[in-house]
Structure formats: structure tokens, C-alpha cells
């Protein structure tokens, strides 16, 4: 576990113990004799000491297993020259080598690395895909990857949510890109789920998508509690990052529709810098108003004329979902509504650090960034979400 996961584990366990202790005190009628200050103090101190103890154990483990220093891996392909790989390894002070297999006949490379005493790993390839972390499952004693996103759906407020992990969802789209042409994919969070709960027409729009992924920790947590193994939050910006990374070899092409021209310019610059080789077919910022029929048809022709496989839609909810639904079957590519994902990857809006995302408080981070616009959305909507869950999920 990293420090954040350790802290949350300690907090959860200590809170449970304190609650059980309080129940015992009141059950034995000793509640009045116990000081609230003492109870609170015990809780805080137990969390601090528990966290410190875990960090000491973690540091000792990393040190004993030679993992405390910065760990560097040299990534090479199977057709690279062995002498050059060995030279790179020593010059860069790497700890090991990861070989990505792209062709047969790499035994010579492995033998020479072995003679040098270099710890070497072989990247796993399946379904014409370099297997990445976050997708491997232990099935019957075998390390496996899912061939596709499961067919079961988790129903919440009438919305049929897909159950998946991020990389799993990305692989499915990559493998079925032709079949998904003309279809659309949604990423629904607490805000949009409440909107769909209160607006049947918008709920129908979401359910008209091929997939509705849970772009919100509370929804993913409900899936997990329902017993779905492998259920995970599939956030739009995370999905984009995985897809950009996995397609930077140019195997799939991208078109971006939405946001401001300034955001699009920054987005293109960042993507080309971070994912060299990515195939960007076009970007367009439509006017921030209702389009005429002629303007709409021109936009469709522009998108289809690019020949892009993936059409990223950044118009904001619920506009982007309604736009995709209205153009289902007209667009030659799979549409994905990712909202603020454009701004996050463009750097015009700063995304919450990973540790804040892990504890499910990314919404609070965004609230501090734009309280005027998001206060009502988060506090009113989050309150409604909890109320609907407590009263009736349907």
C-alpha cells in the first residue's frame, strides 16, 4: 500500500473500533462516565500511532527488499540490438530491462542479457495488445485478462451501468472499434445520475449508449457492494489517458469536438508532447449556442471527413450526451462524452492529486477551484443522491 491507502485503512479500522467501544459503553450504561474529549482523543491518537507504525513497517520492508531507492526500468523492443541495449542499461543505471515482444527470434537478446547478469522481464502480449497493469486477473491460478467487458449491468436510478476496470474498458473499445462506429459511450457521475433520476428523457439518453461507465467513486462502490468482482471507477479523464497511451502507435485516430479553441490548442500541444505518434485527425470548437441545421450538418461532415476512429465530445453534461444520442448512427466513429476531460488534459483546469482521487474527494477539490459554479451542483446534488439511496434506489 502507498501512504494514502495505509492512512485510509487505519482510519477505517480505528473508527470502527471506537464506534464499537461507544456502543459497549452505552449498552452498559457507562456512557455518562466517559468523556467525549477522551473518546475523541483516543481516536485521533490511535490513528496517528497506527499510521506511524505502518509507515515504519513499510519503510523497513522497502529497505530490506532494496525498493527504497528510485527504481528504473529500461524498456526495449525484441528487435533491438543486444549490445546497444546493454550499453543503455549501464549508462542509465537501470535496475532491470523490460522487453516488449514485437517479432520472433529474440532469444539472442535474452541470452546476452542473461550473461551480463541483467534481470530481464518479458512483456505479455494478447489479442494484439501489450498487457498493462490494472487489467490482469487471477483466474483459476492463471494470470489472465478479460476478453471483453461483461454483459451484466448494475441498475441505479434506472441507469444501466457497465461493470469494468478502466484498462479493461479501453481494450474492449480498441478491439471492437469497427462495431462501435456510430455508437456512443457515456461516463456518468453522481450529478448526472441524479439528473437522470429526475428526468426520464435524459435517463433514456444515457441508456441509449453502448456503455455507461461509473465516473464516480460512490457509484463504483455500490457496484462492489453488490458483489461485482473487478468493479472500478471508470472516470472519463482516466479513460482518455489510457486510450491515448495505448494508441500512441497510431493504430487508432482521434477527433476532438467541443471546448474553446484555446483549450483545443493547449490539448493538442500536450498530447503530441506526451504521446508522440498519436494520430489526431482534427479538432473543432463549435459555437457556444444552438446550431442551425446547416451548421450541424457541416460539423457532421467535418468529423466524418476526418476518418477518425474515436470522436471525443467535450460539450459538458447533459448537452454532450444529448448531442451524441441525436447523432447516433450518423457519425463514422465511436463518440465518447468526456466533459471536463478536455480541460484536464489541456492543463487549463488542474485535476485533483491521485491521493485525493483515491479517497473519493475529487469533487471537493473541484469545488474549491470553482465554488460559484459548483457549490449548488455538488451540495444539492450530492444531498439528493444520498436521499434517493436511503429512500428508494429506483
Amino acid at each position: 500500500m502507498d501512504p494514502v491507502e495505509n492512512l485510509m485503512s487505519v482510519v477505517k479500522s480505528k473508527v470502527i473500533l471506537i464506534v464499537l467501544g461507544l456502543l459497549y459503553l452505552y449498552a452498559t450504561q457507562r456512557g455518562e462516565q466517559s468523556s467525549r474529549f477522551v473518546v475523541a482523543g483516543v481516536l485521533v491518537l490511535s490513528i496517528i500511532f497506527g499510521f506511524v507504525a505502518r509507515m515504519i513497517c513499510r519503510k523497513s520492508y522497502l529497505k530490506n527488499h532494496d525498493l527504497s531507492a528510485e527504481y528504473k526500468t529500461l524498456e526495449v523492443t525484441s528487435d533491438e540490438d543486444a549490445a546497444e541495449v546493454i550499453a543503455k542499461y549501464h549508462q542509465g543505471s537501470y535496475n532491470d530491462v523490460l522487453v516488449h515482444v514485437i517479432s520472433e527470434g529474440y532469444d539472442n537478446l535474452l541470452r546476452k542479457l542473461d550473461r551480463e547478469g541483467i534481470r530481464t522481464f518479458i512483456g505479455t502480449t494478447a489479442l494484439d495488445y501489450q498487457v498493462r497493469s490494472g487489467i490482469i486477473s487471477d483466474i483459476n491460478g492463471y494470470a489472465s485478462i478479460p476478453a471483453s467487458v461483461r454483459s451484466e449491468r448494475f441498475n441505479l436510478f434506472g441507469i444501466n451501468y457497465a461493470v469494468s476496470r478502466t484498462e479493461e474498458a479501453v481494450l474492449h473499445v480498441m478491439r471492437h472499434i469497427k462495431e462501435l462506429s456510430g455508437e456512443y459511450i457515456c461516463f456518468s457521475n453522481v450529478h448526472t445520475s441524479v439528473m437522470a433520476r429526475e428526468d426520464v428523457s435524459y435517463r433514456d439518453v444515457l441508456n441509449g449508449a453502448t456503455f455507461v461507465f461509473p465516473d464516480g467513486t460512490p457509484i463504483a462502490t455500490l457496484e462492489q457492494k453488490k458483489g461485482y468482482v473487478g468493479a472500478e471507477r471508470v472516470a472519463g479523464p482516466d479513460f482518455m489517458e489510457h486510450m491515448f497511451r495505448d494508441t500512441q502507435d497510431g493504430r487508432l485516430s482521434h477527433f476532438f469536438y467541443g471546448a474553446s479553441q484555446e483549450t483545443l490548442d493547449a490539448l493538442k500541444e500536450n498530447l503530441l508532447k506526451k504521446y508522440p505518434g498519436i494520430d489526431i485527425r482534427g479538432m473543432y470548437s463549435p459555437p457556444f449556442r444552438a446550431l442551425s441545421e446547416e451548421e450541424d450538418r457541416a460539423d457532421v461532415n467535418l468529423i466524418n471527413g476526418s476518418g477518425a476512429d474515436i470522436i471525443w465530445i467535450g460539450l459538458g453534461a447533459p448537452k454532450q450526451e444529448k448531442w451524441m444520442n441525436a447523432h447516433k448512427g450518423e457519425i463514422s466513429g465511436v463518440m465518447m462524452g468526456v466533459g471536463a476531460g478536455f480541460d484536464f488534459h489541456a492543463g487549463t483546469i488542474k485535476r485533483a492529486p491521485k491521493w485525493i482521487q483515491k479517497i473519493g474527494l475529487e469533487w471537493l477539490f473541484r469545488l474549491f477551484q470553482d465554488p460559484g459554479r459548483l457549490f449548488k451542483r455538488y451540495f444539492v446534488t450530492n444531498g439528493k443522491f444520498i436521499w434517493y439511496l436511503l429512500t428508494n434506489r429506483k
Side-chain angles (χ1 to χ4, degrees):
M1 292 184 178
D2 63 22
V4 173
E5 291 170 327
N6 269 292
L7 177 60
M8 295 310 298
S9 178
V10 172
V11 169
K12 290 177 182 177
S13 62
K14 298 302 180 183
V15 168
I16 292 173
L17 287 175
I18 291 297
V19 169
L20 292 175
L22 289 174
L23 290 176
Y24 169 75
L25 290 173
Y26 281 99
T28 57
Q29 297 182 349
R30 297 177 184 176
E32 295 180 359
Q33 301 174 17
S34 61
S35 167
R36 295 178 181 176
F37 177 79
V38 171
V39 171
V42 169
L43 173 60
V44 173
L45 289 175
S46 62
I47 290 175
I48 293 174
F49 286 124
F51 178 67
V52 171
R54 290 170 75 100
M55 287 298 96
I56 292 174
C57 291
R58 182 176 186 270
K59 184 177 181 180
S60 176
Y61 176 87
L62 294 176
K63 183 179 180 180
N64 292 337
H65 290 77
D66 196 27
L67 297 174
S68 55
E70 181 183 359
Y71 202 87
K72 294 174 61 179
T73 297
L74 173 62
E75 294 190 44
V76 300
T77 57
S78 57
D79 59 353
E80 292 191 39
D81 181 72
E84 293 181 1
V85 172
I86 293 171
K88 288 180 185 178
Y89 174 83
H90 291 300
Q91 291 171 4
S93 299
Y94 291 95
N95 299 92
D96 52 38
V97 173
L98 172 61
V99 179
H100 295 295
V101 179
I102 60 173
S103 61
E104 297 298 329
Y106 52 90
D107 289 347
N108 181 54
L109 171 62
L110 298 183
R111 282 196 299 269
K112 290 186 176 181
L113 290 174
D114 182 43
R115 283 199 295 268
E116 286 287 321
I118 298 174
R119 184 168 169 80
T120 305
F121 295 88
I122 308 296
T124 303
T125 303
L127 304 173
D128 194 29
Y129 160 77
Q130 287 283 335
V131 178
R132 295 187 178 268
S133 59
I135 192 174
I136 297 176
S137 299
D138 187 348
I139 304 297
N140 206 29
Y142 293 90
S144 313
I145 65 171
S148 61
V149 174
R150 70 187 74 184
S151 59
E152 300 102 311
R153 294 293 182 266
F154 171 69
N155 187 280
L156 177 67
F157 302 158
I159 307 165
N160 298 316
Y161 282 100
V163 181
S164 176
R165 291 171 293 183
T166 303
E167 186 69 13
E168 179 182 340
V170 169
L171 175 59
H172 182 98
V173 171
M174 291 173 61
R175 292 190 60 236
H176 298 85
I177 195 68
K178 297 302 180 184
E179 303 163 37
L180 291 171
S181 180
E183 301 293 331
Y184 64 97
I185 294 173
C186 298
F187 301 86
S188 176
N189 53 26
V190 168
H191 175 62
T192 52
S193 67
V194 170
M195 290 173 59
R197 166 68 171 71
E198 299 175 340
D199 184 346
V200 176
S201 63
Y202 181 56
R203 185 193 314 164
D204 291 340
V205 166
L206 290 181
N207 287 332
T210 302
F211 294 109
V212 183
F213 291 114
D215 186 354
T217 301
I219 302 171
T221 300
L222 289 172
E223 287 186 337
Q224 294 164 2
K225 290 182 177 179
K226 190 69 173 179
Y228 290 106
V229 178
E232 181 182 275
R233 179 192 181 198
V234 183
D238 294 334
F239 185 96
M240 295 174 77
E241 181 179 354
H242 285 236
M243 183 62 79
F244 295 152
R245 182 192 64 188
D246 291 352
T247 62
Q248 62 181 315
D249 58 359
R251 69 172 65 189
L252 296 180
S253 53
H254 308 262
F255 191 99
F256 297 84
Y257 183 81
S260 66
Q261 189 59 50
E262 179 184 7
T263 297
L264 292 179
D265 292 340
L267 176 62
K268 184 175 183 178
E269 181 180 355
N270 285 353
L271 293 182
L272 293 176
K273 183 184 302 181
K274 189 173 181 180
Y275 308 100
I278 189 171
D279 186 359
I280 300 176
R281 295 292 178 87
M283 292 181 161
Y284 182 67
S285 173
F288 290 87
R289 56 170 172 78
L291 302 182
S292 66
E293 186 175 338
E294 292 76 15
E295 289 174 322
D296 183 71
R297 179 49 48 190
D299 287 358
V300 171
N301 292 337
L302 175 66
I303 294 171
N304 289 341
S306 71
D309 299 299
I310 300 173
I311 318 300
W312 301 101
I313 309 297
L315 301 175
K319 184 178 179 180
Q320 63 193 14
E321 288 80 21
K322 293 180 178 179
W323 191 94
M324 293 188 296
N325 179 263
H327 294 83
K328 182 176 181 178
E330 296 182 6
I331 298 295
S332 301
V334 56
M335 298 171 280
M336 303 191 195
V338 291
F342 281 40
D343 294 287
F344 289 142
H345 287 282
T348 52
I349 295 179
K350 185 178 179 181
R351 196 176 180 196
K354 290 290 185 183
W355 70 270
I356 292 181
Q357 295 179 39
K358 284 184 177 181
I359 61 178
L361 292 179
E362 186 172 7
W363 65 272
L364 187 60
F365 184 88
R366 290 198 64 194
L367 176 62
F368 284 129
Q369 287 182 310
D370 191 1
R373 184 174 69 89
L374 298 177
F375 180 84
K376 181 179 179 181
R377 167 177 167 177
Y378 283 137
F379 278 90
V380 174
T381 305
N382 288 5
K384 286 183 176 180
F385 182 82
I386 295 172
W387 172 252
Y388 290 147
L389 282 180
L390 293 175
T391 54
N392 185 5
R393 288 189 179 184
K394 299 298 184 181

